[in-house]
Amino acid sequence: MKSAGDDLGFLESIKPLFVNKNVPYDTKMKELVPYIQKLASTHDQKLGNSLKSALEMLNETNPDNPKTYAAMADVAQNTGRVKEAASLYKKCLDLDKSVFNVWEQRLYLLDQIRDYAEMLRTSNELLDLYPGLGLAFYWNALALIRSKDPDAALSSINEGLMNSKKNPSTQYKLNILSGMAYALKKDLSKSQDAFKLARELNPGIEWAYYAEAKAINELSGSSNEALTLCEQALKINPNSFEAVFVKANILFKNNTIEKAKSAYEEALKKGGADFPEILEAYGDFLFATNDQKLALNYWQMAIEKGVESTTLRKKIDGVKL
């Protein structure tokens, strides 16, 4: 098995290949694909930097190929440069709008950095291109939920459900969004009904459990029910940082401080450190428990991940003062 040093040495040795205009583009990209795939699992910064350099050389010799921008976006995403990755996926889409997975990757990242205005614009464009596709309605509805427009989201969800009658996977996602939309409308009963429908479609995925727990935590005082749902989610997937994060919020709301702190830290370790929402929430927790210096660090990390938030900026400025 090759070491990371071997990978870096090999990539360095083939760099002349990327500036050679006589070598076909696909031959060059073929050499990089295994390392891009490896980066997705290792997130090795040195490997990422080497791939970034190689892809930039490739883009100079073979300019404006959408495959190059997609690969550059993958590398940026897997080395923590989320905002840059979202921009690179846009460059790919500007050149080729036909790859649905690229649209999904861009929308996923826009959601992650909480650029909801751009997420909604992009989802509307996707819906124009794929007017009969249930997943296009899913992304549009999610963007509308993030934009605090639950009625418009429910309309898009219903359209999506009509267009995905033979696709249980998409129906599952849309029913979860229905639960989220009704929670925004403060209708817990209809919200829980939608989450129940999702679980009936696929009881083996954790999302419907912790999403309902989040709704219950926000709309009622039933912390035991919410915590039970989180535990059910974690039984299905012990590595779900989303479920641990919801659990942390429930514990914090109930003033179970030490357990909440432990849960926030667990969520960060399991993958939540790449998500500004979780970084900011942990900062809020630290601020509330009188650790202003560390709170400031986590709020700044959220900003560094690419999120733009006036509220978050005010929090940071307030501590600095």
Side-chain angles (χ1 to χ4, degrees):
M1 182 179 289
K2 289 196 296 183
S3 68
D6 292 334
D7 290 338
L8 298 177
F10 177 73
L11 287 171
E12 188 66 30
S13 73
I14 63 170
K15 279 186 176 178
L17 182 76
F18 301 111
V19 296
N20 188 338
K21 293 184 178 181
N22 295 319
V23 177
Y25 174 88
D26 288 342
T27 299
K28 299 173 184 179
M29 183 57 77
K30 186 177 179 181
E31 294 289 348
L32 293 177
V33 168
Y35 298 96
I36 294 170
Q37 292 173 337
K38 184 173 184 178
L39 181 67
S41 59
T42 65
H43 303 281
D44 182 87
Q45 289 291 331
K46 289 183 178 179
L47 177 59
N49 290 338
S50 186
L51 284 167
K52 182 176 184 288
S53 175
L55 286 163
E56 286 171 347
M57 294 169 68
L58 178 59
N59 197 41
E60 287 180 13
T61 312
N62 302 80
D64 292 334
N65 189 308
K67 292 180 184 178
T68 306
Y69 286 118
M72 292 170 78
D74 289 346
V75 170
Q77 182 178 359
N78 287 311
T79 49
R81 294 175 285 118
V82 180
K83 189 173 185 179
E84 180 184 341
S87 296
L88 287 164
Y89 280 127
K90 184 178 187 304
K91 287 185 177 181
C92 176
L93 290 168
D94 287 342
L95 294 164
D96 180 5
K97 300 183 186 300
S98 68
V99 183
F100 189 82
N101 181 59
V102 176
W103 286 97
E104 288 202 293
Q105 286 298 314
R106 175 162 165 76
L107 285 159
Y108 175 79
L109 295 179
L110 290 171
D111 188 28
Q112 188 173 333
I113 62 174
R114 296 189 286 179
D115 188 347
Y116 299 140
E118 181 61 19
M119 184 184 180
L120 182 56
R121 188 202 66 77
T122 302
S123 74
N124 284 329
E125 189 178 353
L126 178 64
L127 203 53
D128 288 340
L129 285 170
Y130 297 90
L133 188 64
L135 273 177
F137 285 103
Y138 162 80
W139 283 109
N140 183 245
L142 181 58
L144 288 163
I145 287 169
R146 301 303 195 213
S147 302
K148 308 298 184 187
D149 192 348
D151 290 322
L154 286 166
S155 177
S156 200
I157 289 164
N158 288 333
E159 288 282 338
L161 287 169
M162 285 190 290
N163 282 278
S164 58
K165 291 179 180 178
K166 295 183 179 180
N167 191 327
S169 175
T170 302
Q171 288 182 42
Y172 172 84
K173 294 177 179 179
L174 287 164
N175 275 297
I176 289 180
L177 293 195
S178 183
M180 292 165 63
Y182 279 117
L184 264 183
K185 290 169 68 68
K186 302 189 184 307
D187 189 334
L188 183 58
S189 178
K190 286 185 178 179
S191 175
Q192 290 188 278
D193 286 345
F195 291 129
K196 182 181 178 182
L197 280 173
R199 284 198 296 276
E200 287 173 354
L201 284 164
N202 195 332
I205 299 178
E206 73 274 13
W207 186 13
Y209 295 89
Y210 68 74
E212 182 176 353
K214 181 176 184 289
I216 292 170
N217 186 48
E218 292 173 351
L219 297 177
S220 82
S222 183
S223 60
N224 288 337
E225 183 183 2
L227 286 170
T228 297
L229 285 162
C230 285
E231 294 304 329
Q232 288 176 297
L234 288 166
K235 187 175 181 180
I236 293 167
N237 180 7
N239 294 315
S240 172
F241 67 84
E242 299 97 330
V244 180
F245 175 55
V246 173
K247 179 180 176 181
N249 288 333
I250 297 165
L251 292 167
F252 181 28
K253 184 178 179 180
N254 283 276
N255 207 33
T256 316
I257 301 302
E258 288 305 315
K259 288 184 178 180
K261 181 178 174 63
S262 177
Y264 280 122
E265 290 174 351
E266 182 184 352
L268 289 166
K269 288 177 183 176
K270 287 183 173 178
D274 286 330
F275 289 77
E277 178 187 4
I278 298 177
L279 293 166
E280 182 179 359
Y282 188 44
D284 293 347
F285 169 83
L286 292 166
F287 184 82
T289 53
N290 299 313
D291 195 340
Q292 294 189 356
K293 185 176 180 180
L294 194 55
L296 180 60
N297 288 343
Y298 277 93
W299 288 337
Q300 288 175 326
M301 280 191 274
I303 292 288
E304 288 165 6
K305 289 294 180 183
V307 68
E308 290 296 334
S309 166
T310 303
T311 303
L312 183 52
R313 293 279 184 190
K314 285 180 179 178
K315 292 178 188 177
I316 291 171
D317 292 342
V319 172
K320 285 181 177 179
L321 290 173

